[in-house]
Amino acid sequence: MNLTVGARFASGVKGGDARFGLGTSKAFGGVTVQVAKSDGISGTAKGVGVDGGLSYPVGAKKRAMLCPIADAQYAKLPDVDAGEGVSVSGSGTGVAAGLAIGGLINNSSSVGLIPFAALRAAYDRVKVSGGGFSESTSDTYGILSGGLSFVFSQSVLVRPIVSVPIGLEGSDPSYGVGVSFAFGKR
């Protein structure tokens, strides 16, 4: 079991999340709660997500893991005043699936290093309504992400990450860092 708290930053957006995860040597999953604040918009988006995957050891020494992964998310966007007494509300849903790879490359007495990368296909849908109208839009794109985790003990891991959308017009990379605390029976 682990608890991860993190922060993410992209052009005009900053947010945080907390994830409770469970796993074995073969399968893993988790539940995440998220908040995000966009520049120029009053209010905060609030979301929830679930994720999961399987682990397959690869390589000559079986120290790396190849993992099919998937996740789903829902977010309630902040209401926006459209003027003339009209308030617009919105929500977003998203799913993604792909492959991740990572493995321990250095396990010194003080710090272990785990490089990781993932490539996922994603689908997002945003719906807005208010003032007698309702409209939705959707996007399909790819996400390439990666980073280098620092393992300070069997209980603490720090994971900087960069995610780059592929094929999503007008999007920018996002950057983040998470700190994981492992607990429970191993």
Side-chain angles (χ1 to χ4, degrees):
M1 291 186 285
N2 61 64
L3 177 65
T4 303
V5 292
R8 281 238 190 221
F9 307 93
S11 180
V13 180
K14 54 187 165 271
D17 59 36
R19 177 185 181 271
F20 174 73
L22 298 168
T24 67
S25 62
K26 298 185 189 298
F28 55 89
V31 176
T32 303
V33 292
Q34 308 156 338
V35 294
K37 177 80 174 116
S38 296
D39 293 347
I41 295 178
S42 178
T44 303
K46 298 170 182 77
V48 63
V50 295
D51 65 81
L54 301 172
S55 298
Y56 298 100
V58 295
K61 295 183 181 180
K62 306 285 187 200
R63 291 180 66 172
M65 294 289 183
L66 181 65
C67 304
I69 54 174
D71 64 79
Q73 300 179 30
Y74 170 81
K76 170 67 175 99
L77 305 176
D79 292 345
V80 175
D81 182 4
E84 299 181 20
V86 175
S87 179
V88 177
S89 62
S91 64
T93 56
V95 293
L99 286 174
I101 190 165
L104 186 64
I105 61 169
N106 174 33
N107 195 17
S108 72
S109 61
S110 58
V111 178
L113 301 175
I114 303 174
F116 63 92
L119 181 60
R120 299 178 293 150
Y123 171 83
D124 290 336
R125 181 172 185 238
V126 176
K127 180 179 180 181
V128 294
S129 59
F133 81 94
S134 180
E135 190 170 319
S136 65
T137 183
S138 62
D139 285 303
T140 303
Y141 56 100
I143 304 169
L144 177 62
S145 56
L148 180 64
S149 296
F150 300 91
V151 183
F152 293 103
S153 70
Q154 286 198 339
S155 301
V156 179
L157 178 138
V158 176
R159 175 176 292 175
I161 187 169
V162 176
S163 294
V164 179
I166 302 168
L168 186 60
E169 191 172 321
S171 63
D172 292 317
S174 66
Y175 308 91
V177 64
V179 180
S180 292
F181 303 95
F183 57 93
K185 189 176 177 180
R186 293 176 209 261

